[in-house]
Amino acid sequence: MMVNIESLDINYILKGEGENVLVLHGWGASIDTVAPIINLLKKDFKVYAVDLPGFGNSQKPKEVFSSEDYARIIKKFADAMDIKKAIVIGHSFGGKIS
C-alpha cells in the first residue's frame, strides 16, 4: 500500500489485528528484511511496516535526509494511520529513528 507524506510516496504493509506495532527496517534494507518479524507478530497484533524513504518501494527523497528527517516522516506516517499508541520495533537504523 502507499501513502503520500511530504510529497513522497511511502510504501507500507498492514497485517493482523490487535494492539499496534510499528516495525522499522535497518539502513539499506526494506520491509522484506523484517518479514519474519511481521509474520510472527501478525497473529496477535496489528502490524505496520514501512519502507523508509529511498528504500524498498518508497520514493527517494529529492535531497539528503538526516535521522531527524526520517523520524519526522515516521511520525507523520503514524499520524496518517491514526496510530495514537504503538510498540515500535526498529532494527539498526530503524531503532535509531524510533
Side-chain angles (χ1 to χ4, degrees), residues 30-94:
S30 69
I31 289 171
D32 294 338
T33 308
V34 294
I37 297 167
I38 296 163
N39 289 332
L40 179 67
L41 294 173
K42 71 182 182 181
K43 299 171 192 164
D44 299 305
F45 298 94
K46 186 175 187 178
V47 183
Y48 296 84
V50 179
D51 276 333
L52 296 172
F55 299 95
N57 293 318
S58 287
Q59 190 175 357
K60 183 178 179 180
K62 291 179 176 52
E63 53 195 46
V64 175
F65 264 24
S66 67
S67 298
E68 290 81 9
D69 294 324
Y70 284 102
R72 184 185 67 249
I73 293 292
I74 293 303
K75 169 65 169 106
K76 288 186 176 183
F77 171 82
D79 291 344
M81 298 296 116
D82 198 33
I83 300 171
K84 305 284 189 229
K85 181 180 176 183
I87 298 166
V88 181
I89 299 171
H91 174 258
S92 189
F93 185 71

Side-chain angles (χ1 to χ4, degrees), residues 18-37:
E19 189 176 354
N20 295 320
V21 175
L22 176 59
V23 181
L24 303 174
H25 63 77
W27 191 260
S30 69
I31 289 171
D32 294 338
T33 308
V34 294
I37 297 167

